[in-house]
Amino acid sequence: MFSIFYIFIDFINTSLHLFGSKNHDLVFVRFSENDYFIQERLDTFYVRIQERCKMENLAILQEFLTDSQKSLFQESSFGPYLDIHPFKLPLQTIHSLLMYRVGSRYEEEICFKVNDKFLGFSVEEFAVITGLDGWGDKFSVDFNPKVTPRLVKKYFPKQDAVSNADLKHFLIDHKLQDDDEAVKLANIFFIDSILLPNRARSIPNYLWYLGDDERSFSLYPWARVCFDETLKSLKNTFQGNLNTGYELCGFPSSLLIFALECLPGMVALNGTKVGDEMPKILNWKVNKCQPHLSKLLSNCFTRSVSSYIFKICA
């Protein structure tokens, strides 16, 4: 259900290499706007990154929906995402940017200092990038957990629970004549694959019930919930022992688009600007290949005192 990449990190101001060392705890600091969250270290170690957001699954929706069904899907704020070129998130780039985190004066913001330039990623940037609707208060969804959701009964009659992989295979193998039903399944798959991929093995029941209730679905604060989950995930990276790695939840692709918009050196390495529309996520075609470490360091990331090296290991 998720991708795992291994990042090799070597702090270049030393020749000391501690492969296999148990002393890989990061140094936590009470940091200000001029302090880097991650302090300089003398270690070499591996980091495991779990990524749940699957932007490449957009291709499944683009193929599953008919033209009339696409028109219905595009009536919501999710609609523009059908025009995005599917891509895999370049974890090397995201990880590198997160290493340049500095303090922020605001709770709903994460800040970075790259080449003496301060970058603030907050709810405003997220809204402009994603174009998502729904910034109200989160509300609970009433349903009986002992009752199998209608959509599950109808399309997965032999199952009590349905995983994201189950729904993915269904969308690949089937075409629905009922436009409303097709869009309901597409909405559920979009949220569980891209906006709010969950850690559970099966798609949560609340999502099946919301997806089957057009009014509740349209009123649900998808943008607020997605932003909160994304920001929480970004701020919780590098917590505790680095050997445990970290997980990117929510919609980290929004941070990639933010970096492309703010850092010119990122563009040639990570994507091509193909438009000037709103939301801004529509304006970028992300490269298929991960950017090379040396190019990232020379084009995007420098420090006057110390530098970090990050590279993907096979």
Side-chain angles (χ1 to χ4, degrees):
M1 293 295 293
F2 53 80
S3 301
I4 299 178
F5 288 78
Y6 290 92
I7 310 293
F8 174 77
I9 308 176
D10 175 18
F11 297 88
I12 66 175
N13 290 332
T14 179
S15 60
L16 179 63
H17 297 271
L18 301 177
F19 288 104
S21 169
K22 296 181 180 179
N23 186 23
H24 291 165
D25 291 332
L26 290 176
V27 178
F28 280 94
V29 294
R30 291 187 177 278
F31 61 117
S32 68
E33 293 179 17
N34 292 305
D35 295 327
Y36 288 107
F37 183 63
I38 304 300
Q39 298 299 290
E40 184 177 359
R41 300 280 292 172
L42 302 178
D43 299 4
T44 297
F45 45 86
Y46 293 93
V47 177
R48 184 179 70 174
I49 300 177
Q50 298 179 5
E51 178 221 0
R52 299 182 181 276
C53 176
K54 301 295 184 184
M55 291 294 290
E56 60 268 31
N57 279 344
L58 286 171
I60 306 295
L61 292 178
Q62 292 165 350
E63 183 65 26
F64 168 69
L65 294 170
T66 65
D67 289 343
S68 60
Q69 292 163 4
K70 288 177 181 177
S71 296
L72 285 177
F73 187 84
Q74 288 172 334
E75 291 178 3
S76 75
S77 62
F78 303 157
Y81 286 77
L82 290 179
D83 298 326
I84 294 176
H85 298 278
F87 63 88
K88 289 183 69 66
L89 187 68
L91 293 180
Q92 182 71 86
T93 300
I94 298 298
H95 178 75
S96 301
L97 181 58
L98 288 171
M99 295 295 284
Y100 287 83
R101 181 185 169 192
V102 294
S104 171
R105 290 173 293 176
Y106 307 105
E107 182 178 350
E108 290 194 334
E109 180 182 55
I110 185 169
C111 291
F112 310 92
K113 183 182 178 183
V114 180
N115 307 333
D116 295 323
K117 182 178 181 180
F118 286 94
L119 309 174
F121 181 72
S122 68
V123 66
E124 287 84 3
E125 287 73 26
F126 183 85
V128 169
I129 289 167
T130 65
L132 295 174
D133 289 338
W135 290 99
D137 295 330
K138 184 178 179 180
F139 58 83
S140 59
V141 181
D142 294 328
F143 64 91
N144 187 343
K146 296 181 180 180
V147 177
T148 304
R150 183 191 69 85
L151 292 171
V152 174
K153 284 183 181 179
K154 183 174 181 178
Y155 297 107
F156 303 90
K158 297 181 180 181
Q159 299 175 226
D160 294 326
V162 178
S163 69
N164 185 275
D166 293 333
L167 182 53
K168 177 179 178 179
H169 292 312
F170 180 89
L171 298 184
I172 292 173
D173 295 338
H174 296 80
K175 287 282 189 179
L176 298 186
Q177 297 300 316
D178 189 320
D179 289 351
D180 291 333
E181 293 283 279
V183 170
K184 287 178 180 181
L185 293 182
N187 281 331
I188 292 170
F189 184 68
F190 176 78
I191 293 166
D192 195 68
S193 294
I194 296 169
L195 280 193
L196 292 167
N198 74 96
R199 298 178 179 87
R201 294 180 61 87
S202 60
I203 298 173
N205 276 352
Y206 89 89
L207 190 50
W208 289 107
Y209 281 96
L210 269 177
D212 201 21
D213 184 338
E214 294 181 15
R215 183 175 183 278
S216 295
F217 188 87
S218 65
L219 293 176
Y220 197 77
W222 297 112
R224 165 54 63 185
V225 174
C226 185
F227 172 75
D228 290 347
E229 184 73 10
T230 303
L231 187 66
K232 178 182 176 181
S233 174
L234 295 175
K235 287 188 172 184
N236 284 343
T237 54
F238 311 124
Q239 298 293 325
N241 191 312
L242 197 57
N243 281 330
T244 63
Y246 62 88
E247 183 178 49
L248 291 173
C249 300
F251 192 47
S253 297
S254 58
L255 183 66
L256 172 66
I257 304 303
F258 170 75
L260 290 172
E261 292 280 348
C262 297
L263 298 170
M266 284 279 191
V267 176
L269 301 179
N270 290 278
T272 303
K273 192 164 187 178
V274 295
D276 190 20
E277 303 179 45
M278 293 292 284
K280 289 187 175 293
I281 195 171
L282 297 178
N283 298 329
W284 295 95
K285 182 178 180 180
V286 178
N287 296 341
K288 292 182 178 180
C289 298
Q290 294 272 332
H292 193 274
L293 165 65
S294 61
K295 294 293 186 180
L296 268 175
L297 289 176
S298 60
N299 287 29
C300 306
F301 301 105
T302 61
R303 282 194 185 178
S304 57
V305 178
S306 62
S307 298
Y308 297 119
I309 293 179
F310 324 92
K311 62 181 179 182
I312 301 286
C313 287

